[in-house]
Amino acid sequence: MAPAPNAVPAGIVALLPKLSDADADIRYMSLSDLDNILKTGSAGFLTNEYHTCARTVDCLLKTLDDTNGEVQNQAIKCIGSLTPRAPPELLPPMVEKLSTLKTTNSVDASIPATALRVFITAFPRSITGAQPTKSTQEAYSAISKVLIPRLVGYVVMSNGSRNQPTPPPGMLEVHADNTIDSNAIDVLIELIRCFGSMLQDPEKNALQKSTMAIFDNERTGTIAKKKAVLAISLLAVYMSDILLNTFVYSILESLNKPNLTAAQHRLLITMVGSLARTVPQRFGQYLRQLIPFILGPLSEQAYRDALEDTADTGTADTEADEVREAALLALEGFLSSCSNDMRPYTDEAMHAAIRFVAYDPNVSADTEDEEMGGTRDSVADDDDADPEEEDEDFEEEGAVSDDDDASWKVRRCAAKALYAIISTRSNGDLLENGILYEKIAPVLISRFREREENVRVEVLSSLTALVRKTSDNTITPFSFAGETEFELSSAVEVRSRKRRRLGSDATLFESPAISQAGFKSPDVSPLPSSGPKADLARLSSSIIRGVSRLLQQSTLITKQSGIALLREMVNAQNGGLSEHLGIIAEPVIDAIRSPTGHPTSHSAGTVAQASTGKLRIEALQLVGAICDNHSSALIAPYASNLVVAVIAAVQDKYFKVSSEAIMAVESLIKVLTPPRSAGTLQANRNHVEKLYNVVLERTVATDADVEVRQRAIHALGVLLVRGSELNQVRVLSEAQRMKTVGVLLDRLRNETTRVSAAKAIDMFLSSCKDGSVIQKDWTRDVAIELGAQLRKANRGLRGVSLATLRDLVGNAAALSCLDDKTVQAVTEMLLPLVSSHDLNLLGMALIIFAKLVRQSPKNVVKARLITSLCDVVVAPLGGAVLDALLVLLKAIGEQKVGQPLMQSLLQDVGVNGDPTVVGKAIGTLVVSGGTTVGVKLDDFVTELHSAPDDKRKCLALSVLGEAGYRLGSSSPLEPGLFTKYFGSKSQSLPRAAATALGRAGAGNVKTYVPVILTTTSEAGSSQYLSLHAIKEILQFTGQARSDISPYIKQMWEKLMAASQAEDNKAVGAECIGRLTVIEPKTFLPSLQVRILILVRSHRREITDPLSQGYLHNAEPSVRGMAIQAIRFTLSDSDETFDEVLSPILVPMLRAMMNDPNLENRRLALGVLNSATHNKADTILPNLTELVPLVMKESIIKPELIREVMMGPFKHKVDDGLEVRKVRANRNLWAEKIPMDLFSRILAGLEDEHEIKVLSNLMLSKLVYIDAEETSRHLDSIAERYRSILAFKPKENAVKQEVEKLNEANKGVLKVTLLLHEGVPAKSSAGNNVQSEKWKGYWDWVKENFRSQLAVMEQELRSQTA
């Protein structure tokens, strides 16, 4: 918009005469110029121009009555621009004139009300708990003084003024023609939304009474009453508890009236349901009184009476049906919004919904009775029925039609109520005990033959939700809406989480194994004997047969819903369609063939719009799921038709269809190629050829969407993998393979597809071991291009390129293709990554260098690399990065090029770095390089004896320990060389000696362990140091486990005795845990006894003789040591250990978490966190036992809060804080979310800073684990978040307090953004009465934290990318 040339009052005055011009175009353009001046002028340029503004208002009021609609609309815009800039004293008369405006020339009677709404929304919205701005306060003053009296018809707040004029009849009052203006209700709704938090109780009460009076007028239209319900629901958000209580009891009194009409009954029930959605936390307490009035119209007697009346009169009672519809909607609101308070009434609600989901007066009562009774038997016997007979029945019921019948609305609301029960109660008892599958699922299946599409879709959606809740699928991380994001199915599996105790050099170069998903035909898993999956399996046949009939006869949206249900069933059962592929294959293929077009129109009131594009996407997703979870032999008969249909979908112009089709192509490729289709490749070769051609065409197509090309590239990678030496078969010809790798190289050079191309090349290189397949020139070009990508700013691209380069050099055939020139070029591009700034990239870079050193040592080991390595060694490294560094140093030594590096390590690094890291580096180089590095082992022995300071001694000890470990039994070093420093008075030397002793002992167990065990018997510091030595040995023995076996029993006894000392407990527990992993059958039961003894001794019910022997050890500290030991076993174990642990892990956890000692319970929660990460298969099925124990520890316990004196001040100390800190682990909620989890999170947001951070983190995960449940608590979250963001520290607050506050605010804003993106509909304005507080909070955050939100959004998007 160009700036107004006269953005001054004089410019406005010059335009006012033109607003009365006879030419409508001049009036319109003048208003446009006026609007431009008002918008571009400074905020206060009209503050002192009362008369100018008054004249402007008068002129605008006249144009509101203009005969031209465009002029009126432009005048309304000008009012919105003028209002916030007008002098405060002008606002009351302006409101009065707008509210009394009568239009005579205008056809649209809503113009005055629209202008009033624009006036109200022109000011910043008031936020509960936040200080209103000056302009908002001035606007409210005018509204309170003028508008509210105009709405209700009398003065509500006198504000000390006397003899105020009596206002004209209220806008909400009944007019002379006995009608009510619904436009006035729109004004009221906008008023409540914008100024609800500022309204005084008398004003709220007056507005409530005026709104309720609308319902009492029988001539009030339906639209006005619906708007009134919305208004009263919004007003309830801002009512005080007393006012809300009075209001609810007035509704109860009205419901109790004996002469209540059906229309009034329906409105009252609708209002109650709306209140449940807007103020669920405060409304739950009234359910006990209200639920009888809701369930009354839904009772069994009411149901039978309705059918009898219909049979007698021939027509259904429409008003009674509307009451039932309102009651079911209210019931849905109760179930979804007040789920905890509705638990006592769940059975009644479920029976009512089941009863009326089959309510159809057009079907005879006998038929309905048959459907309601024996439903489960009819479903169970469904397979025995004649398919043709079933189809006839289906068509017969579908043929029933009655345009005047509105009973379908009752059935639809009943299906929605069942959906609410499924979504809110499937996380607990009703799913586990089979109630949902026993009572609800059969009824839903029986309603597949529903004649009304809207109801049928709701039925399918409800059953789909139940199947989805049964599924154990992995949760998909949240990504920002609107972004074209997809996750390429990884060609490689993540490396095993279990650590290797022996850091074998080979393991660091192993390429991740090719993903087994779809690689071979899936095994048929045994049918579970009980539980939700068993219940689903028993009903699968009935569901599939019912859906197959729908796919053959129904409309587009029903087909889409049915296919979505089938897909969820396949995912939940990892198959399950083996016996029924024949009846669903052709309908699904026909759905894929449907031509993509515009959304298809459906009958009025359809719950969702569907298009052929969406239908095809659902069908393609189902095909992919079927291919991934069923054997190739089952799919083979349908392969020909599937291939043709999928290829047509790949070529579709709609990118979402094409993209999903390529995903289906990948699944088909796995089905059609060996080893899944071993022996049938020749028969399938034609299909594979067609799939290859279409994928290749999409890869190189310039007009294809980026997402389509990326997925096509990944599919090419899958084709290359299936044709690699790994399968011992050539799926692609030599010419095709050469063309494919050339295309991948070309795509690697393209900015939009380089990540996908790198992943595809990675797949190929990881699987191909045949040197004749890998071309030299191609490999060199790929290596150079991957190296060039390492210079890019995109960290994700660098990570993918580096991983691919790692697998390239890890492939012996590919590595041999690299010449010296290529190695030099790659080395130069890798050198910037040899830095401690990014350890993830550093580890992979070091692994690559290790391979390149063996290929061309002189071209790699140069001055720049040596300098970079010396810089890295100074950093405190550990874990896989340190292992990679040692592998590189070993390779340098073995290639006889380590002398310059050794000189730099000794001269430039020396004692400047961490002695442990530097010592390991030098020790590795000394052993691997031998005589070529310029120093000998004896030199470091001499240095140890003669060094003048402790730092040099520590470094020498670390070098000798590493050298002893690598030399093994051939090491000349004796244990006494290390143990004699145990008695040193230095603070660092004894610990360094113990670590070096253990490191050397790991390579020579027979020589060192007896000496260490002898030292363990000594009391004092020697015992503590010996435990550290044992820890090193147990950590690095690995393949030498057989050497340590003779000493295990003695070591166990020594450890148990030594761990009794307080200082030894932590390291002793780690040693015991590692020893338990070596001999689980021997030692794990002993640990179990030590843990279980705590419960038995606490209850004094000991009967086990084995437990009797440990009574004297039933001390909290001993139990704590045993608990810690269990934790160290969880992340460092193998399958043998898991077999012993699985049966006893849950009982041990249960015992740990019931320990009477607070500290032990804290340790137990840490064990549970670790078990959830590392032993999920054992933990997740037992969450119902463990979660209540976790939730119990999240409650603030007053008995654990004590006061301590700090000087003259009293300070409260919460001993339970440390326990509450470790309660949060999102893996516990990934499968089943406890009913009271959100209440504990909300309480955590009001707890100490550390608990706030953890609770906030949990919310950030729950927003995509269960967005639907999270959305129900948005208002409560908004209240807590606002209080956090609005808190201001004191002026004398210390730096730590300010930092904590900033951290909390940043976390709150991040989760706020995630919640907004996860459930955007809840943040947008509209007639949705739910989450009103969240909408206000979101507007407040956008206004007050705009810059922080922008930065946060950018960070989140970069992380997602």
Side-chain angles (χ1 to χ4, degrees):
M1 180 183 295
N6 298 311
V8 291
I12 296 177
V13 173
L15 289 172
L16 295 182
K18 298 180 182 179
L19 301 184
S20 302
D21 195 280
D23 191 339
D25 290 338
I26 293 178
R27 297 197 301 274
Y28 177 84
M29 294 304 300
S30 300
L31 286 169
S32 179
D33 293 341
L34 177 60
D35 186 51
N36 192 14
I37 292 175
L38 293 172
K39 286 180 178 178
T40 57
S42 62
F45 85 109
L46 291 176
T47 303
N48 300 318
E49 299 291 335
Y50 180 89
H51 295 291
T52 301
C53 290
R55 286 183 59 196
T56 305
V57 170
D58 291 337
C59 292
L60 290 175
L61 290 175
K62 291 180 181 179
T63 54
L64 287 176
D65 195 23
D66 200 283
T67 56
N68 187 288
E70 294 297 328
V71 173
Q72 289 177 312
N73 293 335
Q74 195 63 38
I76 290 174
K77 289 183 181 180
C78 290
I79 288 176
S81 302
L82 172 64
T83 299
R85 291 173 170 79
E89 57 271 19
L90 183 63
L91 297 181
M94 185 175 179
V95 173
E96 184 174 2
K97 290 180 180 180
L98 285 172
S99 62
T100 56
L101 178 64
K102 301 294 182 182
T103 55
T104 57
N105 299 322
S106 174
V107 177
D108 189 356
S110 66
I111 289 294
T114 304
L116 269 175
R117 290 166 57 195
V118 170
F119 173 88
I120 293 171
T121 56
F123 296 96
R125 186 174 178 174
S126 67
I127 305 297
T128 304
Q131 184 68 27
T133 62
K134 182 180 179 182
S135 60
T136 303
Q137 186 66 49
E138 292 168 347
Y140 167 69
S141 178
I143 288 170
S144 177
K145 183 179 179 181
V146 181
L147 182 56
I148 293 179
R150 278 291 294 117
L151 288 171
V152 301
Y154 59 90
V155 176
V156 180
M157 302 286 290
S158 61
N159 296 323
S161 302
R162 295 183 179 181
N163 301 322
Q164 289 187 350
T166 303
M171 299 168 65
L172 297 175
E173 293 181 357
V174 179
H175 294 177
D177 57 354
N178 211 21
T179 61
I180 293 176
D181 184 10
S182 64
N183 296 315
I185 306 177
D186 292 332
V187 175
L188 174 61
I189 291 172
E190 213 63 61
L191 167 63
I192 297 171
R193 278 196 170 130
C194 295
F195 294 94
S197 62
M198 301 179 69
L199 294 175
Q200 305 298 311
D201 280 351
E203 294 172 330
K204 298 174 188 174
N205 195 30
L207 292 173
Q208 175 237 313
K209 290 180 179 179
S210 296
T211 307
M212 291 299 293
I214 296 174
F215 300 122
D216 296 332
N217 183 13
E218 295 181 357
R219 299 192 60 180
T220 302
T222 303
I223 294 177
K225 288 181 178 179
K226 288 183 178 179
K227 290 181 179 180
V229 170
L230 174 60
I232 206 71
S233 302
L234 293 172
L235 186 61
V237 176
Y238 304 104
M239 287 182 182
S240 64
D241 292 340
I242 296 176
L243 192 58
L244 179 63
N245 184 72
T246 304
F247 176 54
V248 173
Y249 277 101
S250 69
I251 295 177
L252 283 169
E253 290 177 2
S254 299
L255 287 169
N256 268 316
K257 290 180 180 178
N259 57 347
L260 195 66
T261 65
Q264 292 172 331
H265 195 183
R266 175 174 59 84
L267 283 171
L268 290 171
I269 291 176
T270 302
M271 194 181 309
V272 166
S274 187
L275 288 175
R277 290 178 172 89
T278 52
V279 286
Q281 289 78 21
R282 296 195 291 160
F283 189 77
Q285 59 183 314
Y286 303 107
L287 286 181
R288 184 172 59 85
Q289 295 96 332
L290 288 167
I291 202 69
F293 298 101
I294 306 301
L295 294 177
L298 305 176
S299 64
E300 176 70 23
Q301 186 61 44
Y303 175 79
R304 295 193 178 278
D305 290 345
L307 293 181
E308 291 175 2
D309 292 343
T310 303
D312 294 340
T313 62
T315 57
D317 186 346
T318 305
E319 290 188 344
D321 283 349
E322 289 177 351
V323 173
R324 297 182 189 104
E325 178 190 358
L328 286 165
L329 281 175
L331 201 60
E332 181 206 356
F334 292 171
L335 290 165
S336 59
S337 302
C338 311
S339 52
N340 285 334
D341 298 292
M342 274 295 291
R343 288 178 72 90
Y345 314 105
T346 301
D347 286 345
E348 298 174 70
M350 180 168 56
H351 286 106
I354 290 173
R355 188 178 298 122
F356 280 91
V357 78
Y359 171 71
D360 195 344
N362 277 351
V363 179
S364 66
D366 292 338
T367 305
E368 287 294 333
D369 290 340
E370 289 175 6
E371 287 185 2
M372 293 304 298
T375 304
R376 188 172 179 82
D377 294 335
S378 65
V379 172
D381 297 338
D382 189 56
D383 290 338
D384 299 331
D386 185 2
E388 295 182 5
E389 213 174 287
E390 291 174 350
D391 291 342
E392 290 174 4
D393 292 342
F394 182 84
E395 292 171 1
E396 183 180 351
E397 184 172 337
V400 177
S401 177
D402 188 355
D403 294 337
D404 297 327
D405 176 34
S407 64
W408 64 269
K409 296 180 181 179
V410 177
R411 298 195 298 276
R412 182 186 62 179
C413 294
K416 288 183 176 182
L418 290 177
Y419 181 92
I421 294 173
I422 291 169
S423 62
T424 57
R425 293 299 301 275
S426 57
N427 293 326
D429 53 336
L430 295 189
L431 182 63
E432 298 298 332
N433 62 16
I435 296 296
L436 296 180
Y437 274 105
E438 181 181 352
K439 295 186 176 181
I440 294 181
V443 176
L444 292 175
I445 296 171
S446 71
R447 297 311 302 168
F448 281 2
R449 61 187 68 201
E450 167 65 50
R451 59 191 175 86
E452 177 61 40
E453 184 178 49
N454 296 282
V455 184
R456 193 163 57 241
V457 171
E458 289 293 344
V459 167
L460 290 168
S461 299
S462 299
L463 193 56
T464 301
L466 178 56
V467 175
R468 187 182 300 117
K469 293 288 185 179
T470 308
S471 176
D472 292 331
N473 285 350
T474 304
I475 304 297
T476 303
F478 167 77
S479 65
F480 277 82
E483 276 193 357
T484 305
E485 290 288 341
F486 70 95
E487 195 64 35
L488 292 171
S489 56
S490 177
V492 296
E493 288 184 325
V494 179
R495 294 178 185 269
S496 173
R497 186 182 291 149
K498 299 173 183 176
R499 296 182 306 184
R500 299 174 174 85
R501 282 176 293 279
L502 178 65
S504 171
D505 299 344
T507 59
L508 291 172
F509 296 109
E510 288 177 354
S511 297
I514 299 300
S515 173
Q516 298 302 312
F519 191 73
K520 60 181 181 179
S521 293
D523 298 327
V524 179
S525 56
L527 187 68
S529 58
S530 62
K533 287 194 174 183
D535 297 333
L536 174 59
R538 283 191 286 270
L539 295 177
S540 289
S541 178
S542 302
I543 296 174
I544 295 169
R545 293 173 69 86
V547 172
S548 68
R549 293 193 295 270
L550 293 177
L551 295 180
Q552 294 169 6
Q553 303 174 10
S554 297
T555 56
L556 190 66
I557 188 171
T558 299
K559 290 181 179 180
Q560 182 179 326
S561 301
I563 290 175
L565 173 57
L566 290 177
R567 188 190 72 246
E568 292 296 339
M569 288 184 63
V570 173
N571 292 333
Q573 300 179 103
N574 297 322
L577 301 185
S578 301
E579 299 177 2
H580 305 280
L581 274 181
I583 62 175
I584 67 168
E586 287 306 318
V588 172
I589 293 174
D590 289 341
I592 297 175
R593 290 171 176 161
S594 303
T596 302
H598 298 289
T600 305
S601 60
H602 303 290
S603 57
T606 299
V607 295
Q609 289 296 315
S611 67
T612 51
K614 292 180 181 179
L615 174 63
R616 298 179 76 184
I617 290 172
E618 288 285 356
L620 289 165
Q621 290 176 346
L622 175 59
V623 167
I626 291 174
C627 291
D628 292 339
N629 292 282
H630 294 81
S631 67
S632 297
L634 287 171
I635 302 171
Y638 317 102
S640 179
N641 291 336
L642 268 177
V643 168
V644 173
V646 170
I647 287 177
V650 171
Q651 296 170 333
D652 196 273
K653 294 182 179 180
Y654 185 34
F655 79 95
K656 289 186 177 181
V657 172
S658 181
S659 177
E660 200 62 50
I662 292 174
M663 297 293 286
V665 166
E666 282 193 31
S667 299
L668 279 171
I669 289 171
K670 296 172 184 177
V671 168
L672 298 173
T673 55
R676 285 186 61 174
S677 61
T680 62
L681 178 61
Q682 292 303 322
N684 295 332
R685 190 175 292 278
N686 186 39
H687 299 326
V688 175
E689 183 84 16
K690 292 178 181 178
L691 294 174
Y692 167 78
N693 290 334
V694 73
V695 169
L696 186 65
E697 186 271 328
R698 289 285 87 187
T699 302
V700 300
T702 56
D703 60 340
D705 187 82
V706 173
E707 180 179 336
V708 174
R709 280 181 284 159
Q710 289 174 341
R711 285 187 168 170
I713 290 168
H714 190 268
L716 277 183
V718 171
L719 270 167
L720 282 175
V721 169
R722 303 299 282 197
S724 67
E725 184 191 20
L726 189 64
N727 294 330
Q728 300 296 322
V729 69
R730 298 293 175 87
V731 175
L732 301 178
S733 65
E734 185 64 28
Q736 288 175 328
R737 182 179 291 104
M738 292 179 63
K739 184 175 182 179
T740 301
V741 296
V743 168
L744 291 180
L745 176 58
D746 180 67
R747 296 295 89 189
L748 183 63
R749 292 167 175 157
N750 186 282
E751 183 178 0
T752 59
T753 57
R754 54 195 179 191
V755 173
S756 303
K759 291 180 179 179
I761 291 171
D762 193 5
M763 276 194 292
F764 171 60
L765 293 173
S766 299
S767 62
C768 182
K769 308 300 178 185
D770 186 359
S772 62
V773 174
I774 302 177
Q775 305 169 5
K776 290 185 177 181
D777 292 341
W778 179 84
T779 306
R780 294 167 185 172
D781 291 341
V782 166
I784 295 296
E785 191 60 37
L786 289 172
Q789 307 296 353
L790 301 178
R791 300 174 178 175
K792 307 296 183 183
N794 188 328
R795 188 178 182 277
L797 172 63
R798 285 185 289 148
V800 171
S801 300
L802 199 60
T804 306
L805 194 57
R806 177 199 62 196
D807 290 336
L808 186 150
V809 299
N811 186 315
L815 181 63
S816 64
C817 295
L818 302 182
D819 55 10
D820 291 345
K821 182 180 179 181
T822 305
V823 171
Q824 277 186 318
V826 172
T827 299
E828 290 297 319
M829 289 182 280
L830 274 173
L831 279 173
L833 299 181
V834 184
S835 167
S836 59
H837 296 305
D838 193 330
L839 295 181
N840 289 330
L841 298 182
L842 171 62
M844 286 192 287
L846 294 174
I847 292 171
I848 296 170
F849 270 121
K851 275 295 185 180
L852 293 177
V853 164
R854 289 188 168 91
Q855 175 72 7
S856 181
K858 293 183 180 180
N859 290 314
V860 177
V861 184
K862 294 184 177 180
R864 284 189 61 192
L865 177 61
I866 292 173
T867 302
S868 299
L869 289 176
C870 289
D871 293 339
V872 167
V873 168
V874 176
L877 304 179
V881 177
L882 179 58
D883 292 340
L885 175 63
L886 297 181
V887 169
L888 172 57
L889 295 175
K890 180 182 178 182
I892 292 174
E894 290 174 346
Q895 297 302 316
K896 314 300 182 184
V897 290
Q899 185 171 2
L901 177 59
M902 178 63 78
Q903 291 177 354
S904 294
L905 288 174
L906 294 175
Q907 297 174 6
D908 302 334
V909 179
V911 296
N912 295 325
D914 183 355
T916 303
V917 177
V918 179
K920 287 184 177 182
I922 294 175
T924 301
L925 201 56
V926 167
V927 173
S928 62
T931 58
T932 62
V933 295
V935 292
K936 298 179 294 183
L937 194 61
D938 293 341
D939 296 335
F940 294 98
V941 175
T942 303
E943 176 75 7
L944 177 61
H945 294 318
S946 61
D949 58 87
D950 291 342
K951 285 187 177 181
R952 296 183 183 279
K953 289 181 182 291
C954 290
L955 178 59
L957 283 169
S958 181
V959 172
L960 294 173
E962 184 66 23
Y965 167 68
R966 295 189 175 275
L967 289 171
S969 58
S970 62
S971 171
L973 304 176
E974 295 294 330
L977 180 67
F978 305 99
T979 57
K980 73 176 184 178
Y981 291 97
F982 279 12
S984 173
K985 295 182 179 180
S986 169
Q987 293 183 349
S988 56
L989 197 56
R991 181 67 177 272
T995 303
L997 174 65
R999 185 73 169 165
N1004 192 357
V1005 172
K1006 296 180 180 178
T1007 303
Y1008 280 76
V1009 169
V1011 177
I1012 295 174
L1013 292 178
T1014 302
T1015 312
T1016 307
S1017 303
E1018 302 176 5
S1021 61
S1022 295
Q1023 186 180 68
Y1024 173 77
L1025 294 171
S1026 298
L1027 291 178
H1028 277 281
I1030 292 175
K1031 183 186 74 172
E1032 290 290 322
I1033 291 175
L1034 294 176
Q1035 188 174 357
F1036 294 101
T1037 48
Q1039 295 175 349
R1041 183 176 294 186
S1042 58
D1043 295 338
I1044 203 174
S1045 297
Y1047 309 101
I1048 283 181
K1049 185 176 181 181
Q1050 182 184 2
M1051 189 178 293
W1052 175 267
E1053 294 173 352
K1054 297 279 188 181
L1055 288 172
M1056 296 303 297
S1059 298
Q1060 303 297 317
E1062 189 65 31
D1063 293 340
N1064 297 343
K1065 279 185 174 57
V1067 64
E1070 183 173 354
C1071 294
I1072 292 169
R1074 295 188 184 281
L1075 197 59
T1076 302
V1077 174
I1078 296 176
E1079 289 288 343
K1081 295 181 180 179
T1082 303
F1083 301 128
L1084 198 55
S1086 180
L1087 280 181
Q1088 181 189 15
V1089 168
R1090 289 177 178 271
I1091 293 172
L1092 294 181
I1093 191 71
L1094 66 95
V1095 177
R1096 295 171 182 169
S1097 62
H1098 187 56
R1099 297 177 180 172
R1100 303 187 181 278
E1101 297 176 357
I1102 302 175
T1103 57
D1104 186 355
L1106 182 60
S1107 298
Q1108 295 266 8
Y1110 284 93
L1111 274 176
H1112 64 282
N1113 284 331
E1115 294 293 332
S1117 58
V1118 177
R1119 300 197 302 268
M1121 180 270 297
I1123 292 171
Q1124 284 182 288
I1126 290 294
R1127 182 176 184 178
F1128 285 109
T1129 67
L1130 298 174
S1131 60
D1132 193 11
S1133 55
D1134 51 25
E1135 294 179 358
T1136 304
F1137 178 82
D1138 290 346
E1139 292 177 1
V1140 183
L1141 177 67
S1142 295
I1144 63 175
L1145 177 58
V1146 173
M1148 283 196 298
L1149 285 169
R1150 193 166 55 245
M1152 294 177 196
M1153 296 171 67
N1154 280 309
D1155 195 310
N1157 183 269
L1158 181 66
E1159 176 61 19
N1160 285 351
R1161 293 203 302 276
R1162 184 187 70 81
L1163 295 173
L1165 287 169
V1167 175
L1168 177 58
N1169 279 349
S1170 180
T1172 308
H1173 281 291
N1174 299 289
K1175 310 296 178 187
D1177 293 341
T1178 303
I1179 296 298
L1180 295 181
N1182 297 279
L1183 288 182
T1184 52
E1185 298 180 55
L1186 299 173
V1187 167
L1189 300 175
V1190 179
M1191 304 301 286
K1192 181 178 66 175
E1193 297 300 332
S1194 69
I1195 300 173
I1196 299 177
K1197 299 176 181 178
E1199 63 271 19
L1200 296 179
I1201 300 176
R1202 52 191 172 88
E1203 285 189 350
V1204 297
M1205 296 298 297
M1206 298 183 66
F1209 304 103
K1210 288 183 179 180
H1211 180 66
K1212 287 187 177 181
V1213 176
D1214 187 353
D1215 293 329
L1217 179 60
E1218 294 300 320
V1219 178
R1220 298 201 302 278
K1221 283 182 184 179
V1222 295
R1223 68 177 168 87
N1225 188 327
R1226 76 178 181 93
N1227 286 12
L1228 285 174
W1229 333 122
E1231 298 293 334
K1232 304 293 181 187
I1233 297 179
M1235 292 291 292
D1236 53 348
L1237 174 62
F1238 278 95
S1239 64
R1240 300 312 318 142
I1241 292 178
L1242 293 173
L1245 291 175
E1246 297 175 329
D1247 206 329
E1248 298 293 334
H1249 170 75
E1250 295 86 349
I1251 309 301
K1252 286 180 183 176
V1253 173
L1254 289 173
S1255 299
N1256 212 35
L1257 178 63
M1258 293 177 70
L1259 273 179
S1260 69
K1261 309 302 179 184
L1262 287 169
V1263 69
Y1264 59 82
I1265 290 177
D1266 195 341
E1268 183 178 4
E1269 184 65 26
T1270 305
S1271 67
R1272 297 190 179 105
H1273 302 270
L1274 286 179
D1275 282 350
S1276 300
I1277 294 171
E1279 292 177 0
R1280 272 75 172 181
Y1281 275 5
R1282 183 182 292 113
S1283 64
I1284 294 173
L1285 294 175
F1287 178 78
K1288 302 298 181 184
K1290 297 178 181 178
E1291 294 183 359
N1292 59 348
V1294 297
K1295 180 181 178 182
Q1296 289 82 354
E1297 291 180 358
V1298 176
E1299 290 176 349
K1300 284 183 178 181
L1301 181 63
N1302 291 336
E1303 179 188 3
N1305 289 350
K1306 184 177 180 181
V1308 165
L1309 290 174
K1310 177 180 179 180
V1311 181
T1312 296
L1313 194 58
L1314 288 174
L1315 288 169
H1316 170 68
E1317 296 287 346
V1319 280
K1322 299 293 183 179
S1323 305
S1324 59
N1327 289 334
N1328 181 13
V1329 298
Q1330 299 185 55
S1331 307
E1332 192 64 28
K1333 289 185 179 179
W1334 173 262
K1335 295 172 189 174
Y1337 165 73
W1338 173 247
D1339 292 339
W1340 177 71
V1341 168
K1342 285 195 301 182
E1343 181 180 348
N1344 294 278
F1345 300 91
R1346 186 178 301 276
S1347 59
Q1348 295 96 315
L1349 275 181
V1351 174
M1352 197 68 60
E1353 184 174 1
Q1354 186 63 34
E1355 290 180 2
L1356 290 174
R1357 291 188 183 278
S1358 62
Q1359 292 173 9
T1360 305

